[in-house]
Amino acid sequence: MSSKTTNPQLIELIRFLTWKANEYQAPIWDSVAQKLKKSKHNRVAVNLSRINRYTSDNEVALVPGKILSSGSLTHTVNVAAVTSSQKARKKIEQAGGRYLTIEALVHENPLGSGVKIIG
């Protein structure tokens, strides 16, 4: 795999997403895998304020990078990401949402329907 990352967990996640994209004919997982192949400096870091701005109540957002805690959530949203700060996870839960790993999101929603990619 020609990937710019050397992180073994991230390489495994990219392989998993590619496999699930083929298994379920779900191009969203291929798209996320491509975004994760970028070098660490080119991967996204998204603040909660951006997630709040681009989502509505009870939506699912996927961040192909890291979630940071700047800002707040004014509605319930479930968020999946590679990683997040502890403060961001706490704010997501306080707003009534859930923080998920990307793998958990794929298992819950194999076709990726209704998932918004933020970042």
Side-chain angles (χ1 to χ4, degrees), residues 1 3 5-17:
M1 170 171 63
S3 175
T5 183
T6 57
N7 179 335
Q9 290 87 9
L10 194 55
I11 291 170
E12 190 58 37
L13 176 59
I14 292 167
R15 286 182 182 147
F16 172 77
L17 288 169

Side-chain angles (χ1 to χ4, degrees), residues 32-108:
V32 173
Q34 291 303 315
K35 291 177 185 296
L36 292 175
K37 286 182 181 180
K38 293 181 180 181
S39 68
K40 184 176 181 178
H41 297 289
N42 291 324
R43 252 180 264 131
V44 296
V46 175
N47 284 310
L48 289 176
S49 59
R50 181 183 285 182
I51 294 169
N52 192 61
R53 189 169 41 250
Y54 292 108
T55 60
S56 301
D57 201 27
N58 295 316
E59 283 193 317
V60 178
L62 188 150
V63 176
K66 185 171 187 167
I67 304 170
L68 303 175
S69 65
S70 182
S72 62
L73 292 174
T74 58
H75 54 271
T76 301
V77 62
N78 295 329
V79 186
V82 174
T83 187
S84 76
S85 70
Q86 286 293 78
K87 282 180 79 173
R89 288 182 193 194
K90 188 173 184 179
K91 286 182 177 182
I92 291 166
E93 291 169 5
Q94 287 174 341
R98 289 188 309 151
Y99 170 79
L100 303 148
T101 63
I102 294 175
E103 294 94 334
L105 177 61
V106 172
H107 289 299
E108 283 185 14

